[in-house]
Amino acid sequence: MNRPESSPETAVETRRRFMQALTAFGMTAAAAARAADQIPLAPPDKQPPNLEIPKQVERKIGWAVVGLGELALGEIMPAFAECKWSKPTALVSGHRDKAVQVAKVYGIPEKNIYNYENYDSIADNDDVDVIYIVLPNSMHAEYTVRGLKAGKHVLCEKPMAANVDECEKMIAASKEAEKKLMIAYRLHYEPFNQRVMELCKEKEFGQLKTFSSSNCQNVQAPNIRLSRELAGGPVGDVGVYSINAARYCINAEPVEVSAVAHQPKDDPRFREVPESVAFTLKYPDGELAHCDCSFGSAVSRRYRVHCERGYIDMDPAFAYTDLELRVHDGKREEQLLLSAVNHFAAEMDHFSECILKNKDCDTPGSMGLADQRIIEAIARSIESGKPEKV
């Protein structure tokens, strides 16, 4: 019976293959057999030959985390333990008792705890190189601009801001301060979505035709995502993942958008923002992206790229862990197994390395601005009931 392609090679087969290689170079079978018997079974010093020994990092970039909510405490702060180039050195919070407790856990001195009133004095703290804005969407622009004026680089959570005007002011402040501004599109820094980017760029399954995506969850009140005043709503919070994924799959900007929304009158959670939004993006070469997002449904975080000769499927695609990537070449489906990383650690280390080496980051403010233009076109289409130009 033939050995399955996925089965590991046996020792006998390894020896046979080695002997075949030696005889191909002119050795007799007997000489090849003697040489094969000399294959070392373990490294002489009991160390794997390709063992990478960690080296001391000359300098880690100091990070101030602004806003100590669920994302910061549940994901971002723990991620520093997996960072090579980044370390937490300051906290900004409106709740000092909470900040003091967090600072003790992460070895941050109390002198490096700030509130929103004395936030600007962070300019005098040499322990801080980068400020990470993890605040409600409505506060992104103000605290990004203030952070840049304080002479710090800024990583801002998505969506970049509440509107296009705020995004443009953030970019202008970055240029004026000569400091880097990056938007926290973490999926650009993890292997599964990176592999999708490669497959789409290389057109592994032919020309891309359509993209479909769903990012939905059931949000319970109270929650800042349900507040119009805090720039909540499903499009900016979860729909932006689909918008951004469509860009790195299609590798183009949409020219037109059509959108509809549902805002149920019998659910008080949605008296200020829609429950669900569905939208279609049209691209210059005819590609279409069909996306939906919701704050009132069971969890769905996936996308599929439909191509001439097959498809690429990510499900889940947008979660923090356990992502799965499958491809179909028109004949059979195959799951691609990749080594996972901590998304937040990879994202922060990318920015730290860009600062240390003075490189451009992969998700700059211009990308956040481009997504915000699409978000506003979606809002206009919902209002007008017609397709709108981006």
Side-chain angles (χ1 to χ4, degrees), residues 159 185 188 211 213 215 234-254 257 279 281 283 289-293 303 318 367-378 390:
Y185 290 111
H188 284 252
F211 171 95
S213 178
N215 198 1
V235 178
D237 190 87
V238 290
V240 71
Y241 282 92
S242 299
I243 292 170
N244 198 262
R247 174 182 294 105
Y248 60 69
C249 291
I250 298 173
N251 290 299
E253 293 296 324
V257 60
F279 54 92
L281 308 176
Y283 292 81
H290 311 283
C291 309
D292 64 79
C293 53
Y303 65 77
F318 308 129
M367 182 179 291
L369 171 60
D371 281 350
Q372 188 59 44
R373 293 190 192 282
I374 297 169
I375 291 170
E376 292 195 5
I378 290 171
V390 177

mmCIF file of all heavy atoms in Angstrom, residues 159 185 188 211 213 215 234-254 257 279 281 283 289-293 303 318 367-378 390:
data_model
loop_
_atom_site.group_PDB
_atom_site.id
_atom_site.type_symbol
_atom_site.label_atom_id
_atom_site.label_comp_id
_atom_site.label_asym_id
_atom_site.label_seq_id
_atom_site.Cartn_x
_atom_site.Cartn_y
_atom_site.Cartn_z
ATOM 1 N N PRO A 159 -12.252 52.335 14.789
ATOM 2 C CA PRO A 159 -12.040 53.209 13.636
ATOM 3 C C PRO A 159 -11.188 54.407 14.035
ATOM 4 O O PRO A 159 -11.197 54.828 15.191
ATOM 5 C CB PRO A 159 -13.457 53.639 13.245
ATOM 6 C CG PRO A 159 -14.215 53.591 14.526
ATOM 7 C CD PRO A 159 -13.653 52.420 15.271
ATOM 8 N N TYR A 185 -4.853 48.149 12.993
ATOM 9 C CA TYR A 185 -5.426 47.069 12.188
ATOM 10 C C TYR A 185 -4.588 45.817 12.440
ATOM 11 O O TYR A 185 -3.713 45.460 11.649
ATOM 12 C CB TYR A 185 -5.413 47.448 10.712
ATOM 13 C CG TYR A 185 -6.373 48.549 10.338
ATOM 14 C CD1 TYR A 185 -5.923 49.810 9.957
ATOM 15 C CD2 TYR A 185 -7.751 48.328 10.361
ATOM 16 C CE1 TYR A 185 -6.803 50.816 9.607
ATOM 17 C CE2 TYR A 185 -8.641 49.333 10.001
ATOM 18 C CZ TYR A 185 -8.158 50.573 9.635
ATOM 19 O OH TYR A 185 -9.053 51.558 9.286
ATOM 20 N N HIS A 188 -3.307 42.803 10.022
ATOM 21 C CA HIS A 188 -2.195 42.953 9.078
ATOM 22 C C HIS A 188 -0.912 42.337 9.620
ATOM 23 O O HIS A 188 0.059 42.192 8.876
ATOM 24 C CB HIS A 188 -1.949 44.430 8.776
ATOM 25 C CG HIS A 188 -2.957 45.031 7.850
ATOM 26 N ND1 HIS A 188 -2.671 45.364 6.540
ATOM 27 C CD2 HIS A 188 -4.254 45.366 8.040
ATOM 28 C CE1 HIS A 188 -3.754 45.875 5.968
ATOM 29 N NE2 HIS A 188 -4.727 45.889 6.864
ATOM 30 N N PHE A 211 -16.145 39.397 -3.054
ATOM 31 C CA PHE A 211 -15.706 39.226 -1.669
ATOM 32 C C PHE A 211 -16.957 39.304 -0.809
ATOM 33 O O PHE A 211 -17.789 40.197 -0.988
ATOM 34 C CB PHE A 211 -14.726 40.354 -1.320
ATOM 35 C CG PHE A 211 -14.349 40.453 0.136
ATOM 36 C CD1 PHE A 211 -13.196 39.846 0.607
ATOM 37 C CD2 PHE A 211 -15.119 41.187 1.036
ATOM 38 C CE1 PHE A 211 -12.822 39.955 1.948
ATOM 39 C CE2 PHE A 211 -14.770 41.300 2.363
ATOM 40 C CZ PHE A 211 -13.617 40.678 2.826
ATOM 41 N N SER A 213 -18.438 39.048 3.319
ATOM 42 C CA SER A 213 -17.965 39.074 4.698
ATOM 43 C C SER A 213 -19.108 39.344 5.652
ATOM 44 O O SER A 213 -20.068 40.061 5.331
ATOM 45 C CB SER A 213 -16.884 40.148 4.868
ATOM 46 O OG SER A 213 -16.447 40.220 6.210
ATOM 47 N N ASN A 215 -19.494 40.265 9.947
ATOM 48 C CA ASN A 215 -18.900 40.465 11.271
ATOM 49 C C ASN A 215 -20.017 40.913 12.208
ATOM 50 O O ASN A 215 -20.429 42.079 12.195
ATOM 51 C CB ASN A 215 -17.773 41.495 11.234
ATOM 52 C CG ASN A 215 -16.871 41.397 12.452
ATOM 53 O OD1 ASN A 215 -17.064 40.558 13.324
ATOM 54 N ND2 ASN A 215 -15.876 42.269 12.527
ATOM 55 N N PRO A 234 -22.530 49.686 14.506
ATOM 56 C CA PRO A 234 -21.853 48.478 14.021
ATOM 57 C C PRO A 234 -20.865 48.697 12.881
ATOM 58 O O PRO A 234 -19.893 47.956 12.771
ATOM 59 C CB PRO A 234 -23.014 47.579 13.569
ATOM 60 C CG PRO A 234 -24.135 48.517 13.263
ATOM 61 C CD PRO A 234 -23.991 49.639 14.247
ATOM 62 N N VAL A 235 -21.081 49.708 12.042
ATOM 63 C CA VAL A 235 -20.195 49.862 10.878
ATOM 64 C C VAL A 235 -18.779 50.230 11.311
ATOM 65 O O VAL A 235 -17.800 49.601 10.901
ATOM 66 C CB VAL A 235 -20.745 50.904 9.883
ATOM 67 C CG1 VAL A 235 -19.781 51.069 8.712
ATOM 68 C CG2 VAL A 235 -22.107 50.476 9.366
ATOM 69 N N GLY A 236 -18.651 51.260 12.150
ATOM 70 C CA GLY A 236 -17.322 51.681 12.576
ATOM 71 C C GLY A 236 -16.642 50.685 13.487
ATOM 72 O O GLY A 236 -15.411 50.562 13.487
ATOM 73 N N ASP A 237 -17.417 49.956 14.257
ATOM 74 C CA ASP A 237 -16.838 49.060 15.255
ATOM 75 C C ASP A 237 -16.472 47.697 14.678
ATOM 76 O O ASP A 237 -15.354 47.218 14.871
ATOM 77 C CB ASP A 237 -17.816 48.894 16.420
ATOM 78 C CG ASP A 237 -17.179 48.169 17.584
ATOM 79 O OD1 ASP A 237 -16.547 48.820 18.425
ATOM 80 O OD2 ASP A 237 -17.300 46.931 17.634
ATOM 81 N N VAL A 238 -17.406 47.036 13.995
ATOM 82 C CA VAL A 238 -17.118 45.701 13.450
ATOM 83 C C VAL A 238 -17.158 45.659 11.920
ATOM 84 O O VAL A 238 -16.440 44.871 11.294
ATOM 85 C CB VAL A 238 -18.082 44.647 14.041
ATOM 86 C CG1 VAL A 238 -17.775 44.416 15.506
ATOM 87 C CG2 VAL A 238 -19.545 45.026 13.850
ATOM 88 N N GLY A 239 -17.964 46.524 11.308
ATOM 89 C CA GLY A 239 -18.007 46.564 9.847
ATOM 90 C C GLY A 239 -16.693 46.986 9.229
ATOM 91 O O GLY A 239 -16.357 46.579 8.105
ATOM 92 N N VAL A 240 -15.909 47.774 9.974
ATOM 93 C CA VAL A 240 -14.630 48.259 9.458
ATOM 94 C C VAL A 240 -13.665 47.099 9.196
ATOM 95 O O VAL A 240 -12.792 47.196 8.332
ATOM 96 C CB VAL A 240 -14.014 49.301 10.415
ATOM 97 C CG1 VAL A 240 -13.518 48.651 11.702
ATOM 98 C CG2 VAL A 240 -12.894 50.073 9.743
ATOM 99 N N TYR A 241 -13.807 45.984 9.920
ATOM 100 C CA TYR A 241 -12.969 44.814 9.646
ATOM 101 C C TYR A 241 -13.211 44.313 8.227
ATOM 102 O O TYR A 241 -12.270 43.976 7.500
ATOM 103 C CB TYR A 241 -13.290 43.695 10.632
ATOM 104 C CG TYR A 241 -12.697 43.856 12.006
ATOM 105 C CD1 TYR A 241 -13.405 44.486 13.023
ATOM 106 C CD2 TYR A 241 -11.423 43.361 12.293
ATOM 107 C CE1 TYR A 241 -12.873 44.623 14.292
ATOM 108 C CE2 TYR A 241 -10.881 43.487 13.561
ATOM 109 C CZ TYR A 241 -11.610 44.121 14.562
ATOM 110 O OH TYR A 241 -11.071 44.252 15.817
ATOM 111 N N SER A 242 -14.481 44.235 7.833
ATOM 112 C CA SER A 242 -14.813 43.773 6.480
ATOM 113 C C SER A 242 -14.336 44.763 5.433
ATOM 114 O O SER A 242 -13.826 44.375 4.374
ATOM 115 C CB SER A 242 -16.327 43.563 6.364
ATOM 116 O OG SER A 242 -16.780 42.580 7.272
ATOM 117 N N ILE A 243 -14.510 46.055 5.718
ATOM 118 C CA ILE A 243 -14.051 47.096 4.792
ATOM 119 C C ILE A 243 -12.552 46.971 4.555
ATOM 120 O O ILE A 243 -12.068 47.016 3.419
ATOM 121 C CB ILE A 243 -14.399 48.489 5.347
ATOM 122 C CG1 ILE A 243 -15.916 48.704 5.339
ATOM 123 C CG2 ILE A 243 -13.692 49.585 4.552
ATOM 124 C CD1 ILE A 243 -16.359 49.948 6.093
ATOM 125 N N ASN A 244 -11.806 46.813 5.639
ATOM 126 C CA ASN A 244 -10.352 46.744 5.533
ATOM 127 C C ASN A 244 -9.901 45.440 4.891
ATOM 128 O O ASN A 244 -8.964 45.431 4.077
ATOM 129 C CB ASN A 244 -9.731 46.910 6.916
ATOM 130 C CG ASN A 244 -8.261 47.280 6.854
ATOM 131 O OD1 ASN A 244 -7.399 46.414 6.989
ATOM 132 N ND2 ASN A 244 -7.976 48.550 6.636
ATOM 133 N N ALA A 245 -10.568 44.327 5.224
ATOM 134 C CA ALA A 245 -10.208 43.046 4.608
ATOM 135 C C ALA A 245 -10.482 43.055 3.110
ATOM 136 O O ALA A 245 -9.707 42.508 2.317
ATOM 137 C CB ALA A 245 -10.974 41.913 5.280
ATOM 138 N N ALA A 246 -11.578 43.696 2.704
ATOM 139 C CA ALA A 246 -11.865 43.805 1.273
ATOM 140 C C ALA A 246 -10.733 44.538 0.562
ATOM 141 O O ALA A 246 -10.350 44.170 -0.561
ATOM 142 C CB ALA A 246 -13.191 44.530 1.058
ATOM 143 N N ARG A 247 -10.180 45.560 1.212
ATOM 144 C CA ARG A 247 -9.074 46.305 0.595
ATOM 145 C C ARG A 247 -7.861 45.411 0.401
ATOM 146 O O ARG A 247 -7.258 45.371 -0.676
ATOM 147 C CB ARG A 247 -8.688 47.509 1.455
ATOM 148 C CG ARG A 247 -7.418 48.224 0.914
ATOM 149 C CD ARG A 247 -6.963 49.395 1.762
ATOM 150 N NE ARG A 247 -7.936 50.461 1.716
ATOM 151 C CZ ARG A 247 -8.782 50.754 2.709
ATOM 152 N NH1 ARG A 247 -8.727 50.056 3.831
ATOM 153 N NH2 ARG A 247 -9.633 51.732 2.599
ATOM 154 N N TYR A 248 -7.436 44.666 1.464
ATOM 155 C CA TYR A 248 -6.207 43.886 1.298
ATOM 156 C C TYR A 248 -6.410 42.606 0.505
ATOM 157 O O TYR A 248 -5.424 41.961 0.133
ATOM 158 C CB TYR A 248 -5.478 43.645 2.623
ATOM 159 C CG TYR A 248 -6.186 42.902 3.740
ATOM 160 C CD1 TYR A 248 -6.490 41.549 3.661
ATOM 161 C CD2 TYR A 248 -6.462 43.559 4.940
ATOM 162 C CE1 TYR A 248 -7.081 40.876 4.711
ATOM 163 C CE2 TYR A 248 -7.051 42.897 6.013
ATOM 164 C CZ TYR A 248 -7.353 41.550 5.901
ATOM 165 O OH TYR A 248 -7.921 40.887 6.961
ATOM 166 N N CYS A 249 -7.645 42.254 0.200
ATOM 167 C CA CYS A 249 -7.885 41.149 -0.733
ATOM 168 C C CYS A 249 -7.990 41.654 -2.174
ATOM 169 O O CYS A 249 -7.383 41.093 -3.086
ATOM 170 C CB CYS A 249 -9.162 40.400 -0.347
ATOM 171 S SG CYS A 249 -9.026 39.462 1.187
ATOM 172 N N ILE A 250 -8.757 42.710 -2.377
ATOM 173 C CA ILE A 250 -8.995 43.230 -3.726
ATOM 174 C C ILE A 250 -7.853 44.135 -4.187
ATOM 175 O O ILE A 250 -7.617 44.304 -5.380
ATOM 176 C CB ILE A 250 -10.350 43.968 -3.774
ATOM 177 C CG1 ILE A 250 -11.478 42.972 -3.457
ATOM 178 C CG2 ILE A 250 -10.593 44.625 -5.130
ATOM 179 C CD1 ILE A 250 -12.850 43.603 -3.311
ATOM 180 N N ASN A 251 -7.128 44.721 -3.234
ATOM 181 C CA ASN A 251 -6.000 45.609 -3.545
ATOM 182 C C ASN A 251 -6.434 46.811 -4.380
ATOM 183 O O ASN A 251 -5.796 47.184 -5.370
ATOM 184 C CB ASN A 251 -4.888 44.833 -4.272
ATOM 185 C CG ASN A 251 -4.178 43.858 -3.364
ATOM 186 O OD1 ASN A 251 -3.574 44.253 -2.369
ATOM 187 N ND2 ASN A 251 -4.269 42.579 -3.672
ATOM 188 N N ALA A 252 -7.561 47.388 -3.984
ATOM 189 C CA ALA A 252 -8.075 48.579 -4.662
ATOM 190 C C ALA A 252 -9.013 49.311 -3.718
ATOM 191 O O ALA A 252 -9.423 48.771 -2.690
ATOM 192 C CB ALA A 252 -8.797 48.194 -5.947
ATOM 193 N N GLU A 253 -9.360 50.541 -4.090
ATOM 194 C CA GLU A 253 -10.316 51.336 -3.329
ATOM 195 C C GLU A 253 -11.667 51.308 -4.038
ATOM 196 O O GLU A 253 -11.734 51.408 -5.269
ATOM 197 C CB GLU A 253 -9.841 52.789 -3.197
ATOM 198 C CG GLU A 253 -8.586 52.962 -2.358
ATOM 199 C CD GLU A 253 -8.794 52.556 -0.919
ATOM 200 O OE1 GLU A 253 -9.900 52.784 -0.362
ATOM 201 O OE2 GLU A 253 -7.847 51.994 -0.333
ATOM 202 N N PRO A 254 -12.759 51.173 -3.302
ATOM 203 C CA PRO A 254 -14.081 51.167 -3.941
ATOM 204 C C PRO A 254 -14.425 52.544 -4.495
ATOM 205 O O PRO A 254 -13.949 53.568 -3.996
ATOM 206 C CB PRO A 254 -15.021 50.789 -2.795
ATOM 207 C CG PRO A 254 -14.321 51.255 -1.562
ATOM 208 C CD PRO A 254 -12.854 51.057 -1.839
ATOM 209 N N VAL A 257 -20.738 52.816 -3.188
ATOM 210 C CA VAL A 257 -21.270 51.968 -2.135
ATOM 211 C C VAL A 257 -22.789 52.067 -2.102
ATOM 212 O O VAL A 257 -23.361 53.137 -2.319
ATOM 213 C CB VAL A 257 -20.675 52.350 -0.760
ATOM 214 C CG1 VAL A 257 -20.988 53.788 -0.402
ATOM 215 C CG2 VAL A 257 -21.180 51.425 0.341
ATOM 216 N N PHE A 279 -23.977 46.267 3.267
ATOM 217 C CA PHE A 279 -23.498 47.193 2.237
ATOM 218 C C PHE A 279 -22.716 46.447 1.168
ATOM 219 O O PHE A 279 -22.144 45.382 1.409
ATOM 220 C CB PHE A 279 -22.642 48.311 2.845
ATOM 221 C CG PHE A 279 -21.487 47.845 3.703
ATOM 222 C CD1 PHE A 279 -20.222 47.643 3.161
ATOM 223 C CD2 PHE A 279 -21.666 47.622 5.064
ATOM 224 C CE1 PHE A 279 -19.164 47.228 3.949
ATOM 225 C CE2 PHE A 279 -20.612 47.204 5.864
ATOM 226 C CZ PHE A 279 -19.355 47.011 5.317
ATOM 227 N N LEU A 281 -19.794 47.162 -1.845
ATOM 228 C CA LEU A 281 -18.766 48.056 -2.374
ATOM 229 C C LEU A 281 -18.445 47.643 -3.810
ATOM 230 O O LEU A 281 -18.246 46.456 -4.086
ATOM 231 C CB LEU A 281 -17.491 47.983 -1.521
ATOM 232 C CG LEU A 281 -17.655 48.186 -0.014
ATOM 233 C CD1 LEU A 281 -16.319 47.998 0.691
ATOM 234 C CD2 LEU A 281 -18.227 49.568 0.292
ATOM 235 N N TYR A 283 -15.858 48.163 -7.084
ATOM 236 C CA TYR A 283 -14.465 48.549 -7.341
ATOM 237 C C TYR A 283 -14.251 48.855 -8.825
ATOM 238 O O TYR A 283 -15.057 48.459 -9.676
ATOM 239 C CB TYR A 283 -13.528 47.437 -6.867
ATOM 240 C CG TYR A 283 -13.538 47.306 -5.354
ATOM 241 C CD1 TYR A 283 -14.558 46.610 -4.712
ATOM 242 C CD2 TYR A 283 -12.566 47.921 -4.582
ATOM 243 C CE1 TYR A 283 -14.589 46.520 -3.326
ATOM 244 C CE2 TYR A 283 -12.600 47.840 -3.199
ATOM 245 C CZ TYR A 283 -13.605 47.140 -2.579
ATOM 246 O OH TYR A 283 -13.652 47.059 -1.209
ATOM 247 N N ALA A 289 -17.809 43.713 -3.247
ATOM 248 C CA ALA A 289 -17.669 43.224 -1.877
ATOM 249 C C ALA A 289 -19.019 43.355 -1.188
ATOM 250 O O ALA A 289 -19.560 44.460 -1.078
ATOM 251 C CB ALA A 289 -16.601 44.021 -1.130
ATOM 252 N N HIS A 290 -19.582 42.224 -0.762
ATOM 253 C CA HIS A 290 -20.874 42.203 -0.076
ATOM 254 C C HIS A 290 -20.614 41.966 1.416
ATOM 255 O O HIS A 290 -20.077 40.911 1.787
ATOM 256 C CB HIS A 290 -21.755 41.081 -0.621
ATOM 257 C CG HIS A 290 -21.852 41.045 -2.107
ATOM 258 N ND1 HIS A 290 -22.636 41.919 -2.824
ATOM 259 C CD2 HIS A 290 -21.253 40.239 -3.021
ATOM 260 C CE1 HIS A 290 -22.537 41.640 -4.117
ATOM 261 N NE2 HIS A 290 -21.691 40.639 -4.262
ATOM 262 N N CYS A 291 -20.999 42.897 2.276
ATOM 263 C CA CYS A 291 -20.662 42.810 3.695
ATOM 264 C C CYS A 291 -21.875 43.120 4.563
ATOM 265 O O CYS A 291 -22.744 43.912 4.180
ATOM 266 C CB CYS A 291 -19.545 43.804 4.043
ATOM 267 S SG CYS A 291 -18.103 43.719 2.953
ATOM 268 N N ASP A 292 -21.915 42.491 5.715
ATOM 269 C CA ASP A 292 -22.937 42.860 6.688
ATOM 270 C C ASP A 292 -22.327 42.854 8.085
ATOM 271 O O ASP A 292 -21.337 42.152 8.355
ATOM 272 C CB ASP A 292 -24.152 41.943 6.616
ATOM 273 C CG ASP A 292 -23.837 40.507 6.965
ATOM 274 O OD1 ASP A 292 -23.734 40.198 8.161
ATOM 275 O OD2 ASP A 292 -23.692 39.680 6.047
ATOM 276 N N CYS A 293 -22.899 43.655 8.966
ATOM 277 C CA CYS A 293 -22.433 43.746 10.341
ATOM 278 C C CYS A 293 -23.642 43.968 11.238
ATOM 279 O O CYS A 293 -24.635 44.581 10.819
ATOM 280 C CB CYS A 293 -21.405 44.859 10.519
ATOM 281 S SG CYS A 293 -21.920 46.491 9.917
ATOM 282 N N TYR A 303 -14.891 35.785 6.259
ATOM 283 C CA TYR A 303 -14.978 36.303 4.893
ATOM 284 C C TYR A 303 -14.572 35.217 3.902
ATOM 285 O O TYR A 303 -13.886 34.258 4.249
ATOM 286 C CB TYR A 303 -14.159 37.573 4.690
ATOM 287 C CG TYR A 303 -12.656 37.469 4.828
ATOM 288 C CD1 TYR A 303 -11.859 36.930 3.830
ATOM 289 C CD2 TYR A 303 -12.010 37.989 5.961
ATOM 290 C CE1 TYR A 303 -10.482 36.869 3.942
ATOM 291 C CE2 TYR A 303 -10.633 37.942 6.095
ATOM 292 C CZ TYR A 303 -9.870 37.378 5.084
ATOM 293 O OH TYR A 303 -8.504 37.322 5.205
ATOM 294 N N PHE A 318 -11.804 37.302 12.048
ATOM 295 C CA PHE A 318 -11.545 38.556 12.764
ATOM 296 C C PHE A 318 -11.346 38.374 14.267
ATOM 297 O O PHE A 318 -11.116 39.348 14.986
ATOM 298 C CB PHE A 318 -12.706 39.534 12.537
ATOM 299 C CG PHE A 318 -13.053 39.746 11.089
ATOM 300 C CD1 PHE A 318 -14.360 39.610 10.643
ATOM 301 C CD2 PHE A 318 -12.082 40.075 10.167
ATOM 302 C CE1 PHE A 318 -14.692 39.810 9.307
ATOM 303 C CE2 PHE A 318 -12.393 40.273 8.826
ATOM 304 C CZ PHE A 318 -13.706 40.141 8.394
ATOM 305 N N MET A 367 -4.543 54.922 5.804
ATOM 306 C CA MET A 367 -5.438 53.776 5.681
ATOM 307 C C MET A 367 -6.698 53.989 6.521
ATOM 308 O O MET A 367 -7.813 53.690 6.089
ATOM 309 C CB MET A 367 -4.733 52.487 6.111
ATOM 310 C CG MET A 367 -5.588 51.238 5.962
ATOM 311 S SD MET A 367 -4.728 49.714 6.441
ATOM 312 C CE MET A 367 -3.520 49.589 5.115
ATOM 313 N N GLY A 368 -6.519 54.522 7.720
ATOM 314 C CA GLY A 368 -7.676 54.825 8.556
ATOM 315 C C GLY A 368 -8.583 55.860 7.919
ATOM 316 O O GLY A 368 -9.817 55.756 7.989
ATOM 317 N N LEU A 369 -7.976 56.856 7.278
ATOM 318 C CA LEU A 369 -8.741 57.886 6.571
ATOM 319 C C LEU A 369 -9.524 57.271 5.409
ATOM 320 O O LEU A 369 -10.703 57.591 5.201
ATOM 321 C CB LEU A 369 -7.795 58.978 6.063
ATOM 322 C CG LEU A 369 -8.391 60.032 5.128
ATOM 323 C CD1 LEU A 369 -9.513 60.800 5.804
ATOM 324 C CD2 LEU A 369 -7.302 60.994 4.646
ATOM 325 N N ALA A 370 -8.890 56.385 4.658
ATOM 326 C CA ALA A 370 -9.562 55.741 3.524
ATOM 327 C C ALA A 370 -10.774 54.938 3.998
ATOM 328 O O ALA A 370 -11.842 54.972 3.368
ATOM 329 C CB ALA A 370 -8.581 54.837 2.777
ATOM 330 N N ASP A 371 -10.632 54.235 5.107
ATOM 331 C CA ASP A 371 -11.769 53.483 5.647
ATOM 332 C C ASP A 371 -12.874 54.411 6.131
ATOM 333 O O ASP A 371 -14.064 54.115 5.971
ATOM 334 C CB ASP A 371 -11.307 52.583 6.793
ATOM 335 C CG ASP A 371 -10.639 51.308 6.299
ATOM 336 O OD1 ASP A 371 -10.701 51.044 5.088
ATOM 337 O OD2 ASP A 371 -10.063 50.579 7.126
ATOM 338 N N GLN A 372 -12.493 55.541 6.726
ATOM 339 C CA GLN A 372 -13.504 56.475 7.211
ATOM 340 C C GLN A 372 -14.287 57.087 6.053
ATOM 341 O O GLN A 372 -15.498 57.334 6.169
ATOM 342 C CB GLN A 372 -12.850 57.581 8.050
ATOM 343 C CG GLN A 372 -13.832 58.500 8.756
ATOM 344 C CD GLN A 372 -14.751 57.763 9.704
ATOM 345 O OE1 GLN A 372 -14.313 56.901 10.455
ATOM 346 N NE2 GLN A 372 -16.034 58.098 9.686
ATOM 347 N N ARG A 373 -13.643 57.325 4.927
ATOM 348 C CA ARG A 373 -14.363 57.818 3.746
ATOM 349 C C ARG A 373 -15.439 56.810 3.315
ATOM 350 O O ARG A 373 -16.551 57.197 2.931
ATOM 351 C CB ARG A 373 -13.385 58.069 2.596
ATOM 352 C CG ARG A 373 -12.403 59.216 2.833
ATOM 353 C CD ARG A 373 -11.646 59.550 1.556
ATOM 354 N NE ARG A 373 -10.517 60.426 1.795
ATOM 355 C CZ ARG A 373 -10.599 61.745 1.987
ATOM 356 N NH1 ARG A 373 -11.795 62.321 1.958
ATOM 357 N NH2 ARG A 373 -9.511 62.458 2.204
ATOM 358 N N ILE A 374 -15.102 55.517 3.385
ATOM 359 C CA ILE A 374 -16.074 54.480 3.019
ATOM 360 C C ILE A 374 -17.205 54.435 4.042
ATOM 361 O O ILE A 374 -18.386 54.317 3.678
ATOM 362 C CB ILE A 374 -15.363 53.118 2.911
ATOM 363 C CG1 ILE A 374 -14.321 53.152 1.786
ATOM 364 C CG2 ILE A 374 -16.377 51.998 2.654
ATOM 365 C CD1 ILE A 374 -13.381 51.961 1.769
ATOM 366 N N ILE A 375 -16.867 54.535 5.325
ATOM 367 C CA ILE A 375 -17.884 54.521 6.382
ATOM 368 C C ILE A 375 -18.876 55.665 6.186
ATOM 369 O O ILE A 375 -20.091 55.489 6.331
ATOM 370 C CB ILE A 375 -17.209 54.607 7.768
ATOM 371 C CG1 ILE A 375 -16.454 53.302 8.068
ATOM 372 C CG2 ILE A 375 -18.235 54.887 8.865
ATOM 373 C CD1 ILE A 375 -15.561 53.367 9.293
ATOM 374 N N GLU A 376 -18.375 56.833 5.823
ATOM 375 C CA GLU A 376 -19.265 57.984 5.613
ATOM 376 C C GLU A 376 -20.111 57.806 4.347
ATOM 377 O O GLU A 376 -21.270 58.234 4.310
ATOM 378 C CB GLU A 376 -18.454 59.272 5.577
ATOM 379 C CG GLU A 376 -17.844 59.611 6.932
ATOM 380 C CD GLU A 376 -17.339 61.039 7.046
ATOM 381 O OE1 GLU A 376 -17.541 61.837 6.104
ATOM 382 O OE2 GLU A 376 -16.743 61.360 8.099
ATOM 383 N N ALA A 377 -19.555 57.169 3.323
ATOM 384 C CA ALA A 377 -20.343 56.897 2.112
ATOM 385 C C ALA A 377 -21.461 55.906 2.421
ATOM 386 O O ALA A 377 -22.578 56.018 1.889
ATOM 387 C CB ALA A 377 -19.434 56.362 1.004
ATOM 388 N N ILE A 378 -21.187 54.938 3.293
ATOM 389 C CA ILE A 378 -22.223 53.987 3.716
ATOM 390 C C ILE A 378 -23.350 54.733 4.424
ATOM 391 O O ILE A 378 -24.536 54.494 4.163
ATOM 392 C CB ILE A 378 -21.606 52.906 4.639
ATOM 393 C CG1 ILE A 378 -20.702 51.982 3.830
ATOM 394 C CG2 ILE A 378 -22.705 52.105 5.350
ATOM 395 C CD1 ILE A 378 -19.876 51.030 4.672
ATOM 396 N N VAL A 390 -17.708 57.127 -3.345
ATOM 397 C CA VAL A 390 -16.778 57.174 -2.216
ATOM 398 C C VAL A 390 -15.807 58.313 -2.455
ATOM 399 O O VAL A 390 -15.196 58.392 -3.498
ATOM 400 C CB VAL A 390 -16.018 55.845 -2.069
ATOM 401 C CG1 VAL A 390 -15.010 55.934 -0.931
ATOM 402 C CG2 VAL A 390 -17.009 54.703 -1.823
#
